[in-house]
Amino acid sequence: MPTDAWQKSSYCGEGEACIHVTGTQLIHLTESGDPRKAILTATPATFHALLLTLKEAPRG
């Protein structure tokens, strides 16, 4: 279980379900609207690849 402080996504507005991230050795992600409070864990390299993919994805 992560013990670091969770950081909220800068893209999150007031009252919205938001992505939160923590960690350095392993990156932990959770979504505030998830009733199960599931945590996704990834290596820094995998998390970086996810961010690059999301930045390149078409928006619409």
Side-chain angles (χ1 to χ4, degrees), residues 7-8 18 21-24 26 31 39 41 46 48 53-54:
Q7 180 179 358
K8 183 170 80 170
C18 301
V21 64
T22 189
T24 53
L26 289 174
E31 196 258 319
I39 296 174
T41 300
T46 302
H48 180 71
T53 300
L54 293 172

Side-chain angles (χ1 to χ4, degrees), residues 15 24-25 27-28 33 40 48 50 59:
T24 53
Q25 302 276 348
I27 307 302
H28 307 285
L40 173 69
H48 180 71
L50 172 66
R59 296 177 187 198

